[in-house]
Amino acid sequence: MKARALGKDEILFLLDLISKQKVITTKATNATNNKLKEEAWKSIAQEFSTMAGELRRPEQLRLKWENLKKSARKRNSLIRQNNLNTGGGKMYIPPDEALDRVTSMLGATCTGFTVEFGGDREKNDATRCGCGIH
């Protein structure tokens, strides 16, 4: 029998549980961290199942987390592309509380890095010498 999809409140509760387990969001993949992550997922599944009244395996919740991360990254990429578009109007991207929380949990791995200096966004006319090279 296939498990039913998680509701919005259940997703937000899952994110609460994940945020309490800092090891889940660490990038380290050594044997020690992998074991800690496995134990954290078991703990999350147990607490989640108790709250939801429906048994969820750690693998199911971990897959949901992976899918939420993909969706958040995709949404943030779409928002960045939309902000860079010129002309033709902007696309409306509705707010999503769960994906916004995932984005904040992932930080720069989801939102991208900002470059304070450099890039081709700003040109300083004072640096041009008029030779056509710069």
Side-chain angles (χ1 to χ4, degrees):
M1 183 169 82
K2 190 174 182 179
R4 67 171 178 75
L6 297 180
K8 182 181 177 182
D9 290 338
E10 291 173 315
I11 290 171
L12 294 175
F13 181 65
L14 175 62
L15 293 176
D16 285 341
L17 295 175
I18 290 170
S19 67
K20 291 177 190 174
Q21 299 280 351
K22 298 296 182 194
V23 71
I24 297 293
T25 55
T26 60
K27 289 188 168 229
T29 57
N30 57 43
T32 304
N33 268 20
N34 288 345
K35 184 70 174 165
L36 291 172
K37 287 180 183 184
E38 189 178 312
E39 294 303 317
W41 280 113
K42 287 179 185 176
S43 172
I44 288 170
Q46 183 177 5
E47 194 170 344
F48 185 89
S49 295
T50 301
M51 185 284 302
E54 181 179 347
L55 181 65
R56 298 287 181 157
R57 294 187 326 272
E59 300 81 22
Q60 291 172 308
L61 297 178
R62 188 175 192 160
L63 179 62
K64 182 62 179 179
W65 170 240
E66 294 300 325
N67 288 337
L68 285 168
K69 290 192 306 184
K70 285 178 192 173
S71 295
R73 286 183 178 119
K74 189 180 222 178
R75 181 172 179 269
N76 278 307
S77 176
L78 190 60
I79 289 169
R80 278 196 310 273
Q81 288 174 357
N82 193 41
N83 290 340
L84 294 174
N85 282 344
T86 57
K90 302 283 184 184
M91 177 189 330
Y92 175 70
I93 301 169
D96 188 312
E97 182 182 358
L99 294 182
D100 288 342
R101 284 193 52 199
V102 172
T103 298
S104 68
M105 290 167 74
L106 296 177
T109 63
C110 188
T111 58
F113 295 98
T114 56
V115 178
E116 188 174 341
F117 301 105
D120 58 0
R121 197 164 56 159
E122 297 180 80
K123 295 241 183 205
N124 184 353
D125 288 338
T127 61
R128 292 184 177 205
C129 68
C131 67
I133 297 173
H134 303 294

